Amino acid sequence: MQAHGAAKGGYGEFKLGWPVVLSAMLGIGLGLSPLPFYTIGILAPELAREFGWGFAEILGGLPIMTFAVLLASPLVGLLADRIGVRTVALWSLLLFGLAFAGFAASNGNITLFYVTWGIMALVGAGTLPVTWTRAVNNRFEVHKGLALGLSLVGTGLFGFACKPYTAWLVEEFGWRVAYLGVAALPLLIALPIAFIFFHDVGGRTVTAAERRVADAERKAVTPGKSFGEALRDWRFWILAVAFVPISFAVGGPIPNIENILRSNGFEAGDIVTLASLIGLSVIGGRLLGGWLIDRFWAPGVAFVLLSAPAVACWLLAQGTTDPVIAGLSIVLIGFAAGVEYDLMAFMVARYFGLKSYGGIYGALYGFFALGAGIGPVIFGQYFDRTGSYETILLYSAVGLVAGAALLLLMGKYRNFGGDRTEAVAAAERTADPDFAA
């Protein structure tokens, strides 16, 4: 893998861009991507006891969410391109929190339960990385990968924290209050912070330094391919095809990890300890992955980091009872989950530019969501039929290697506008004398 010039330079971009990164971290971390996914395993047993639903029935909400996201994410991306990511993100945070709270009113009607999943996904699609990463990509050039990694670290941070938080709420107050307590997180934390700090380049600026950078952006034509041009580009379809098996193989084991460990013979205490490694390793994947793609060719980084979990799937398929091996396997899977979003956002910017970033990312995210949404259910159904995860884990290992290898066909980065980069860099140097170009 070859190093590229984006790695050099100081960290002056963060002096102006940190509010956007902070807002993105909270918005993504307390949005549609992690909260329903990481809390369903805690809440499902409560719903099963209350209403007599089967576990597979409850997990059926995940593919409904997935297909709703498939419909909504391209539209959200196009809407963000037209009216701005700030407006889309703020409204979506508000509506997502209210929709998630709606689960507290569940009354045993499984159809109503599924409808709530669909509504939550439709209104919450604006909290997905497609909106937040557009602003981050606009703010950063030299350290784009690291900024994306920091923005997306929220999924690991809150994915780790929301499990014990939800379990505590269930134990102390019951599952209905637990739904309300989780719904309060985006409303009381992410929404106010984003309202104050989340401004895309070209939007309202709060300092003279920000204004100079924004003026440079407005004077330059946004570079890149249109949405239609991207759909006719074979590289778009390489990314689309590659991320389906990758997201399936990474997303499938995570909600099932407790049951995978249980079927391998681990005790309850060990299962809780080992499963908690997922969220922490997601954070590591975000940070190290972002640092690496700033310095090396992103498809090469992807091949290495996304092939490693294939080994983890193989190890878990062997029925290991060694906590060290199981822990390492979980870390590798979590690490890959941490780097997926960064890679997609980074490669969309580098291969298609920012002209129609929202629409292109949104369309690709739909393919990603397809794999991630059906993966947990297929894993669970396979276990119900066979009493084992062995074969589906082996299939996932093959899918990871195949999907990661496809990314190697992407070729060199494209140059969509050196003039824009130079204009923004010049403005940043003017705004920040310590900025090292």
Side-chain angles (χ1 to χ4, degrees):
M1 293 181 291
Q2 63 191 30
H4 61 78
K8 63 185 179 180
Y11 289 84
E13 287 175 308
F14 283 95
K15 291 187 177 181
L16 294 180
W18 71 263
V20 172
V21 172
L22 174 64
S23 301
M25 182 189 73
L26 294 174
I28 296 171
L30 294 174
L32 181 64
S33 177
L35 288 189
F37 190 73
Y38 283 101
T39 58
I40 187 64
I42 304 294
L43 293 163
E46 305 302 318
L47 296 173
R49 279 191 288 269
E50 180 82 11
F51 302 124
W53 295 340
F55 198 72
E57 285 183 290
I58 297 168
L59 284 179
L62 288 173
I64 290 173
M65 182 178 75
T66 295
F67 288 115
V69 167
L70 283 173
L71 295 175
S73 57
L75 299 177
V76 166
L78 292 171
L79 190 63
D81 288 336
R82 289 181 177 273
I83 67 173
V85 293
R86 172 179 164 83
T87 301
V88 172
L90 292 179
W91 275 105
S92 192
L93 274 174
L94 173 63
L95 296 175
F96 165 71
L98 295 176
F100 194 91
F103 284 114
S106 297
N107 60 4
N109 186 325
I110 194 69
T111 300
L112 178 62
F113 181 71
Y114 290 155
V115 168
T116 306
W117 275 94
I119 293 173
M120 178 188 68
L122 290 173
V123 301
T127 68
L128 295 172
V130 59
T131 51
W132 308 96
T133 58
R134 169 63 184 263
V136 174
N137 270 306
N138 276 339
R139 288 282 183 179
F140 292 84
E141 183 62 31
V142 176
H143 297 289
K144 190 187 296 290
L146 180 58
L148 288 169
L150 290 171
S151 301
L152 291 161
V153 78
T155 56
L157 179 63
F158 292 106
F160 169 73
C162 72
K163 280 181 176 289
Y165 171 66
T166 305
W168 173 75
L169 287 173
V170 168
E171 183 178 350
E172 294 293 326
F173 307 106
W175 64 269
R176 294 185 190 274
V177 173
Y179 270 118
L180 295 176
V182 174
L185 297 177
L187 297 176
L188 300 182
I189 299 176
L191 184 58
I193 295 296
F195 182 81
I196 297 171
F197 291 118
F198 188 64
H199 299 283
D200 194 11
V201 170
R204 183 183 66 83
T205 53
V206 295
T207 67
E210 294 263 4
R211 192 173 299 111
R212 283 193 288 272
V213 176
D215 288 340
E217 290 279 354
R218 284 193 294 270
K219 290 176 183 177
V221 176
T222 302
K225 287 181 173 287
S226 68
F227 183 71
E229 289 172 333
L231 292 180
R232 295 189 295 272
D233 191 323
W234 59 269
R235 290 177 178 83
F236 174 92
W237 296 104
I238 287 289
L239 290 175
V241 172
F243 272 103
V244 172
I246 289 171
S247 61
F248 175 93
V250 173
I254 292 177
N256 289 278
I257 196 65
E258 289 90 350
N259 203 37
I260 291 173
L261 295 172
R262 190 176 297 112
S263 67
N264 284 358
F266 283 92
E267 299 294 331
D270 292 331
I271 290 173
V272 172
T273 301
L274 290 169
S276 67
L277 295 175
I278 286 284
L280 295 177
S281 54
V282 166
I283 297 173
R286 294 278 187 256
L287 297 177
L288 182 58
W291 185 86
L292 286 172
I293 60 179
D294 273 336
R295 287 157 174 76
F296 301 100
W297 184 51
V301 173
F303 179 74
V304 174
L305 297 184
L306 296 178
S307 293
V311 178
C313 290
W314 183 84
L315 290 171
L316 290 173
Q318 307 311 304
T320 179
T321 57
D322 186 328
V324 175
I325 293 177
L328 175 61
S329 301
I330 291 171
V331 166
L332 289 175
I333 292 172
F335 201 89
V339 79
E340 287 173 315
Y341 287 147
D342 307 44
L343 286 165
M344 183 181 291
F346 188 91
M347 286 195 280
V348 169
R350 290 299 186 195
Y351 287 102
F352 302 102
L354 297 177
K355 177 179 291 185
S356 299
Y357 175 86
I360 297 169
Y361 187 103
L364 286 172
Y365 187 87
F367 288 94
F368 175 91
L370 175 63
I374 65 176
V377 176
I378 291 178
F379 265 68
Q381 290 177 342
Y382 197 91
F383 178 80
D384 288 340
R385 290 198 306 268
T386 67
S388 169
Y389 290 96
E390 178 181 353
T391 303
I392 193 65
L393 283 167
L394 293 176
Y395 286 157
S396 296
V398 174
L400 278 166
V401 175
L406 270 178
L407 297 177
L408 296 176
L409 301 177
M410 291 295 291
K412 295 181 180 179
Y413 297 147
R414 289 168 167 172
N415 184 359
F416 285 108
D419 293 342
R420 173 185 179 278
T421 299
E422 291 170 8
V424 178
E428 286 176 332
R429 285 193 294 269
T430 302
D432 175 16
D434 296 326
F435 179 82

